[in-house]
Amino acid sequence: TVAFGLSQLFGDVQNQGLSQQNRKQVYELLELIMIRFPNCCNNVEYLTGFVQISDGERDPVCLLKVFQMIPLVCQVSQIGLE
């Protein structure tokens, strides 16, 4: 399932150890999952995972992607708005 894949991604992938191109692909995958499966991303685990996977990013291309994703992360997560 998508939720299982996300938990594996957040738990097993050391994003900062990947090449710039692969890190960008990880961010693009996360963005696609938020768009296609928003119900899998509206929890604290997704929000925490997104923050952890993007923490320490210094590459300008990847940072731009992360910053572009933040409004979508906020929209999809809806944490505490019930």
Side-chain angles (χ1 to χ4, degrees), residues 62-82:
C62 291
L63 275 175
L64 183 59
K65 187 66 187 168
V66 169
F67 291 148
Q68 289 172 344
M69 293 171 64
I70 289 174
L72 182 59
V73 171
C74 293
Q75 176 186 354
V76 167
S77 66
Q78 300 283 316
I79 301 297
L81 296 179
E82 289 85 43

Side-chain angles (χ1 to χ4, degrees), residues 8-67:
Q8 294 295 319
L9 178 69
F10 291 142
D12 295 338
V13 174
Q14 298 298 320
N15 205 41
Q16 295 309 311
L18 301 174
S19 70
Q20 181 265 352
Q21 181 180 4
N22 288 340
R23 290 194 317 273
K24 186 171 183 279
Q25 289 174 337
V26 168
Y27 298 129
E28 289 170 348
L29 176 63
L30 291 173
E31 182 178 43
L32 179 63
I33 290 171
M34 282 190 289
I35 292 168
R36 301 274 318 262
F37 305 100
N39 58 327
C40 292
C41 306
N42 63 351
N43 55 57
V44 173
E45 290 79 18
Y46 182 87
L47 190 57
T48 302
F50 177 80
V51 169
Q52 288 175 342
I53 214 162
S54 58
D55 184 40
E57 184 62 66
R58 295 187 313 221
D59 179 77
V61 172
C62 291
L63 275 175
L64 183 59
K65 187 66 187 168
V66 169
F67 291 148

